[in-house]
Amino acid sequence: MNDQLLTIVQAINDILWGKILIVMLVGCGIFFTINLRGIQIRKFGKAFKQAFGGFTLKGEKAGKDGMSSFQSLATAIAAQVGTGNLAGAATAIVSGGPGAIFWMWISAFFGMSTIFAEAVLAQTYKKEVDGQVTGGPAYYLRYGMHSKFLSSLFAVSIIIALGFIGNMVQANSIGVAFKSAFNINPLIVGVVLAFLAGFIFIGGIGRIASFTEKLVPIMAAFYIVGGIIILVIMGKETGVAFKQIFVGAFDPSAVLGGAAGVAMKDAVRYGVARGLFSNEAGMGSTPHAHAVAKVDDPTQQGLVAIVGVFIDTFVVLTITALVIIATGANLSGATGIEATQKAFEMGFGHFGIVFVAIALLFFAFSTIIGWYFFAEANIKYLFGPKALNPFRIIVLLFIILGTALHVELVWQLADMFNGIMVIPNVIGLVGLSKVVKKALVSAEERNIL
C-alpha cells in the first residue's frame, strides 16, 4: 500500500514539478523583479535596516493587534528555516547533483521580489477576525481578486500542506536525527514534540511571537558558526565545492560522472523544488506572518520579507550545501538528514551527528510552530475561531504520526501539496501586481523607502 501510494504521488509530482510550477515560480519572480525594478537589489541595504533596526530578544508583547515587524520576521524565518535547509539541501544534492544548489540560488534571488509582493498584499488586505488581526493569501484572493474559489482552494491546500503533511516532514526528520544520534525511538520523540507544540499553540499569537523572536536568532547563530568551522577545517575542499555547484548546474556529469544518471533538468527540478520548500517564496505561507506586523506602510514589511529569503537560502542553506559537498557526504549513499549528519560527522567526528540532531530540533520545531500559525489563519478563514481546538488536536496527532512514516513518501506528499497551494497564490500575485506596484511607487514618492 505504501509503495502504491508513493508511485501515485511521484507521478503527480512529475507533472507538477516537471515544468508547470518551475515556470510559474521562476516566471513570477522574474516578472516582479522587472516590474519592481530589481527591488531586491535596489533596497537590499534598506531591507536589513528595516528588519534589524530595532532588534531585541525581548520585544514588545504581541497580541490581538499583531506583532512587531521583527517578531513577524522571526516567525517567518522560523517557518522558512527547517528541514529544507538540512535534510532538503541534502536531498537536492543527492537527486540533482551539486548544481541543484545553483538553481536554488537563482530561484531564491527572483523569489525575493515575489515575497516582497506577498508581504505587501498581505498587509494591504489584512482583516480583523474575532477581534484579532489576521491575513494571508486567502484574504487577498478573496478581497483583492474577489475569488471565493481561489481563496478557498488556497486555504484548504495550506491547511493540508503545512498544518498536516508539512509538520509530518518536520517531525519525521527530527525523529530520524534523534534515532541516529541518541538511539531514541522516533515515536517517543513524536510524543514529546506534540506535547511541547501543544503548549505553545494554546498560548496563541503572544506565545508564538515570544517563542520565535528568542529562538530564531540563537538557533541561526549556533548552526552558522558550526558550519563555518567545518568549512575552514576543509580548507581548499570548500573552494572545490563552490566550483562543483557552478559546473554541476549546467553539466552534472562533469562533477558526478556519466554513470550517476543526473541530467541538468534534474538539477533544475530539485533545486527549485527544494528551494521552494526551504524559503517558501511564492508558496503563500510566510505572508500570514507578515500580515500581522505592526508597520506604518505595507512596503516596509515587504522589505523585511526579502531578508527572510536571504537568510534562509543564501546563508543557512548555502552553509549546509557547502559542508555536504566539501566533505563528500553526498557521495556516501546517505540521503536526507542522514547525509547532513554524515557531513558534520566527517567534520566534527561523532559530535557532528549530535550537532545536527540538536540544530534540526531547533529548526524543525520552530517550523512546526510557524506552519501551525499559518494554517491556523486559514482555519479561521474557513471555519471561524471555534474550529481551532479540534484543528490543534489533529495537528498534534500528525506530528506523532510523522515520526513513524517512511521518509520518501512524506517528502513526496509535501512536494505535492506545496505545489497545489502555489497555483492559486501565484495567480493572485500576478492578478494584483498593479496594487503592489502602486504601493511601492507611493512609498518611494513619500520617502518611506
Side-chain angles (χ1 to χ4, degrees), residues 166-178:
N167 280 334
M168 289 173 71
V169 169
Q170 306 302 325
N172 183 283
S173 292
I174 296 174
V176 171
F178 269 66

Side-chain angles (χ1 to χ4, degrees), residues 415-428:
D415 271 353
M416 184 179 74
F417 284 104
N418 284 341
I420 292 172
M421 62 185 274
V422 165
I423 297 172
N425 185 54
V426 170
I427 291 173

Side-chain angles (χ1 to χ4, degrees), residues 280-411:
E280 304 181 27
M283 198 163 78
S285 51
T286 58
H288 299 90
H290 298 302
V292 299
K294 293 181 280 190
V295 289
D296 296 325
D297 189 88
T299 57
Q300 293 175 323
Q301 196 60 26
L303 292 186
V304 171
I306 287 175
V307 175
V309 173
F310 180 82
I311 292 174
D312 171 87
T313 303
F314 290 99
V315 179
V316 180
L317 185 144
T318 297
I319 286 176
T320 303
L322 288 173
V323 169
I324 290 171
I325 300 169
T327 58
N330 56 309
L331 305 176
S332 67
T335 60
I337 192 61
E338 292 170 329
T340 307
Q341 285 183 309
K342 183 69 175 178
F344 277 82
E345 182 183 18
M346 290 176 175
F348 287 147
H350 179 71
F351 174 71
I353 298 177
V354 176
F355 178 87
V356 173
I358 294 173
L360 188 70
L361 174 62
F362 286 153
F363 284 16
F365 184 69
S366 68
T367 298
I368 287 172
I369 302 307
W371 281 0
Y372 162 80
F373 178 69
F374 301 163
E376 179 190 82
N378 290 276
I379 287 291
K380 289 179 183 177
Y381 172 76
L382 290 175
F383 308 111
K386 292 182 180 179
L388 288 183
N389 285 333
F391 171 65
R392 286 167 180 161
I393 293 172
I394 296 173
V395 170
L396 296 178
L397 290 175
F398 267 80
I399 289 172
I400 296 172
L401 179 63
T403 59
L405 287 185
H406 187 268
V407 66
E408 180 63 18
L409 176 59
V410 176
W411 274 108

Side-chain angles (χ1 to χ4, degrees), residues 5 13 19 43 85 111 126 133 135 162 169 197 206 234 241 249 276 292-293 313 358 366 380 400-401 423 430:
L5 181 58
N13 284 338
K19 287 183 180 178
K43 301 295 183 180
N85 298 80
K126 63 184 178 182
V133 173
L162 301 189
V169 169
M234 295 305 298
L276 167 66
V292 299
T313 303
I358 294 173
S366 68
K380 289 179 183 177
I400 296 172
L401 179 63
I423 297 172
V430 175

